[in-house]
Amino acid sequence: MASPSSRRGRRKRLLAGGLDFLAAPALVAVILLIWQACVPLFDISPFILPTPYAVLQRLFQDYQLLAAHGQVTLLEVVLGFGLAAVVGVALSLAIFYFRPVEKALYPVLVGLQTVPKAALAPLLVLYLGYGWAPKIFLAFLISFFPILIATVVGLQSLDKGLIQLARSMGASEWQMFWKIRLQAALPNVFGGFKVGISLAVIGAIIGEYVAAEKGLGYLQLQANSQFDTTLNFASIIVISLIGMLLYWVLNRIEDLVVYRKEKPQ
Amino acid sequence: MITHSPSPGVAVSIQGIGKTYETRHGDEVRALEDINVDIRPGEFVAVLGPSGCGKSTLLSMLAGLLAPSEGVMKIDGERLVKAHPRAGVVFQTDLLLYWRTVLQNILLPIEIKGTVTDAHVARARDLLAQVGLADFADKHPSELSGGMRQRVSICRALIQQPGLLLMDEPFGALDALTREQMIIDLQQLWLTQRNTVIFITHGIDEAVFLADRVLVMSPRPGKVDLELAIDLPRPRRWSVRADPAFNAYLLQIREVFESKGVLHGSH
């Protein structure tokens, strides 16, 4: 039978757990409320700062416009990231398994990483035009590197003991890769994917800033030129939602593919 | 009393095995020198020595993970050149794949060699039951204690009914009480399986308790100083430690270590 003190302890823990769970939403709610109150209080013009409620209203009002441009950005991000995932994983396998590739390519890629990708955007427009290509390519460029690095590190960091174990079972190089090395590297690979997907959103938006006729970045520039700050904020929210959605999808895929020793919160 | 059915174990012959390593600075280190051992099918042999005596090197060679510099190893008369299909290895750490369940881990060697059948699954469950883990087949390794995990890794080594079980300080990473229990359970398992076991250890007590024969090794270069047949009835129980014969074996081994400078200060 539980003693009264332990029962009280459990109630305290439950309460604390509930508070933990509510802490972040509560903070967000407080900030939004302060924001909502401050705009009329200090008589801030909606051209400078709309209220959160006005932004929310606008999201519903203009959802068709936002969805049309959001679709474009979403597709750019998905294609750019998809390309980065495929090329990143393939190149990291080449770097891991072929020494000449590692010696020649890896240092060059690391060196190129010092170039800020956003600075390439004007050039990409010059080479690839005003259409989809430069946005996808920028999303690819910016998200490719973290995927490559994470995968290489994952492949390299296999416990030496597991290599011995597999060899003692007479495993082939392919079995070694498929049954052990790849599986052990998957948490790293998904770590790279998650960094990559957030960066891919940034890449696509920057691409749209430089030259575009559609997409949420383009919509933001349009809103700016018309002093429609409310639409600007609404676009930012949709961009963030795209990032969150893709991150969530990756998380779900990871849940299906990777066994996690410790379940994420 | 044990009935001696024909043993499924293999015969192991180690003839003139030596190993020389080259260090990074180009110096040569003699790890093993002229090892000669013949092991009968179904025999339990403990290889006992301090760290650096080459005992793990010897095991790596028997597992086909390392080539000797000179000499020949044979399993059932056949020269060993790579990992032998009838050898199972238990390493010092359990080396379980954390993303696989206990059952899937045990079946890994079968998957690597071919296809898993219902008979393999049944055997895996049977082995788990024998080590007291029947209810843990679908758990993941992270849900098991260190001792349980090492039991699973022993089941994995036994799944193919190996003729030769190679154990490299398998209980070295476990706490003392868990190790005591593992020693008893390993003996029980071996009495039912009857495969040939080569058990690497630096524990004098566990070597004498478990083995039919103890090979005592000393380092620089690693060689066998004493072959000691342990003539104590099976199954051995805790009380065997009170047996004067048991203590005489321990003493004999300690004297070898003392004469080699591995142990000192008893005068």
Side-chain angles (χ1 to χ4, degrees):
Chain A
M1 214 184 98
S3 69
S5 70
S6 87
R7 210 179 302 145
R8 203 179 306 142
R10 183 165 39 179
R11 198 175 306 151
K12 214 185 262 174
R13 271 198 306 281
L14 271 177
L15 196 65
L19 285 178
D20 284 352
F21 185 71
L22 287 174
L27 179 64
V28 173
V30 167
I31 290 172
L32 288 176
L33 281 174
I34 293 174
W35 177 359
Q36 180 76 35
C38 280
V39 173
L41 193 67
F42 297 107
D43 198 19
I44 301 171
S45 148
F47 298 127
I48 306 294
L49 188 69
T51 62
Y53 184 69
V55 175
L56 189 69
Q57 267 186 322
R58 192 61 184 274
L59 275 172
F60 284 102
Q61 221 171 57
D62 268 342
Y63 81 93
Q64 273 178 322
L65 179 75
L66 288 162
H69 287 279
Q71 256 176 13
V72 173
T73 304
L74 177 66
L75 202 60
E76 288 164 359
V77 173
V78 169
L79 290 175
F81 171 79
L83 198 62
V86 171
V87 176
V89 171
L91 266 186
S92 52
L93 288 175
I95 286 169
F96 182 77
Y97 279 105
F98 303 105
R99 205 176 157 75
V101 179
E102 187 198 343
K103 290 296 160 202
L105 190 63
Y106 203 38
V108 175
L109 287 174
V110 173
L112 280 178
Q113 184 55 15
T114 57
V115 179
K117 303 296 170 300
L120 297 175
L123 271 183
L124 292 178
V125 173
L126 181 66
Y127 298 145
L128 299 173
Y130 291 84
W132 293 83
K135 289 93 181 170
I136 293 171
F137 199 67
L138 201 60
F140 158 75
L141 272 184
I142 205 168
S143 60
F144 154 81
F145 199 73
I147 296 173
L148 176 95
I149 292 289
T151 310
V152 169
V153 170
L155 291 170
Q156 285 173 342
S157 61
L158 185 66
D159 184 345
K160 298 274 175 297
L162 289 177
I163 300 172
Q164 299 256 298
L165 173 78
R167 284 178 57 204
S168 79
M169 294 174 181
S172 66
E173 198 59 43
W174 167 250
Q175 287 173 321
M176 178 79 201
F177 167 72
W178 186 246
K179 291 197 183 294
I180 297 175
R181 196 182 289 278
L182 178 66
Q183 302 288 331
L186 276 181
N188 282 60
V189 176
F190 272 91
F193 283 172
K194 285 181 190 169
V195 176
I197 198 81
S198 318
L199 290 174
V201 177
I202 297 175
I205 294 293
I206 290 174
E208 288 172 0
Y209 286 166
V210 177
E213 285 151 353
K214 47 199 169 194
L216 291 167
Y218 164 79
L219 190 63
Q220 274 189 288
L221 292 186
Q222 290 294 303
N224 249 14
S225 67
Q226 293 157 20
F227 295 102
D228 189 351
T229 313
T230 315
L231 181 61
N232 206 332
F233 269 94
S235 305
I236 293 174
I237 287 180
V238 178
I239 295 169
S240 309
L241 287 177
I242 287 176
M244 279 190 244
L245 169 77
L246 293 174
Y247 193 92
W248 178 81
V249 169
L250 273 181
N251 233 343
R252 288 312 308 266
I253 296 174
E254 187 179 9
D255 276 339
L256 295 176
V257 179
V258 185
Y259 176 79
R260 304 196 214 193
K261 269 185 266 195
E262 277 153 67
K263 292 282 172 213
Q265 300 226 318
Chain B
M1 220 25 242
I2 308 139
T3 51
H4 282 271
S5 55
S7 158
V10 295
V12 179
S13 170
I14 299 168
Q15 300 163 3
I17 286 290
K19 180 71 186 177
T20 306
Y21 283 111
E22 201 168 302
T23 65
R24 256 180 299 172
H25 313 293
D27 303 327
E28 291 200 334
V29 176
R30 193 78 175 135
L32 282 175
E33 175 92 27
D34 195 28
I35 307 290
N36 291 283
V37 188
D38 275 300
I39 298 168
R40 295 186 311 274
E43 193 179 9
F44 196 124
V45 174
V47 180
L48 172 67
S51 42
C53 76
K55 57 191 192 298
S56 287
T57 303
L58 184 65
L59 187 113
S60 293
M61 289 180 187
L62 288 164
L65 300 173
L66 196 66
S69 304
E70 62 261 0
V72 177
M73 292 172 299
K74 289 177 178 171
I75 290 182
D76 273 349
E78 201 180 307
R79 191 169 169 165
L80 185 74
V81 284
K82 57 174 179 15
H84 195 274
R86 295 210 53 208
V89 188
V90 178
F91 295 88
Q92 184 167 2
T93 53
D94 55 75
L95 296 175
L96 298 178
L97 306 179
Y98 70 83
W99 56 89
R100 284 172 170 251
T101 62
V102 163
L103 190 67
Q104 289 167 340
N105 264 292
I106 296 175
L107 292 168
L108 179 67
I110 306 290
E111 272 180 44
I112 281 176
K113 300 252 162 63
T115 315
V116 175
T117 64
D118 288 348
H120 291 127
V121 176
R123 176 165 165 79
R125 289 191 184 279
D126 182 49
L127 282 168
L128 272 175
Q130 283 187 53
V131 298
L133 294 177
D135 297 334
F136 291 83
D138 298 319
K139 294 262 191 282
H140 280 86
S142 56
E143 299 169 88
L144 272 57
S145 70
M148 291 154 97
R149 292 167 62 121
Q150 195 58 304
R151 283 165 202 268
V152 174
S153 97
I154 292 172
C155 292
R156 177 179 60 191
L158 290 172
I159 186 68
Q160 306 182 85
Q161 299 178 284
L164 178 61
L165 184 60
L166 300 166
M167 308 184 88
D168 188 4
E169 299 186 36
F171 309 146
L174 303 176
D175 66 85
L177 277 174
T178 307
R179 185 158 58 231
E180 288 283 303
Q181 189 60 54
M182 294 292 275
I183 290 166
I184 282 288
D185 293 348
L186 175 63
Q187 173 183 245
Q188 197 50 49
L189 206 55
W190 172 73
L191 286 173
T192 53
Q193 306 275 332
R194 279 289 168 183
N195 37 29
T196 308
V197 179
I198 299 179
F199 184 91
I200 308 287
T201 179
H202 51 228
I204 302 175
D205 179 278
E206 81 183 6
V208 171
F209 189 96
L210 282 167
D212 294 324
R213 187 157 45 130
V214 179
L215 307 181
V216 183
M217 292 182 70
S218 66
R220 281 177 290 276
K223 57 183 187 306
V224 177
D225 294 314
L226 174 70
E227 280 193 51
L228 191 61
I230 307 296
D231 188 18
L232 295 167
R234 305 257 190 194
R236 296 172 189 163
R237 303 181 198 290
W238 303 129
S239 53
V240 77
R241 288 189 171 88
D243 189 323
F246 185 88
N247 286 292
Y249 291 130
L250 298 188
L251 197 61
Q252 215 177 331
I253 292 168
R254 287 204 168 88
E255 276 166 0
V256 172
F257 283 147
E258 192 173 350
S259 75
K260 294 289 169 186
V262 175
L263 292 173
H264 39 82
S266 64
H267 311 287

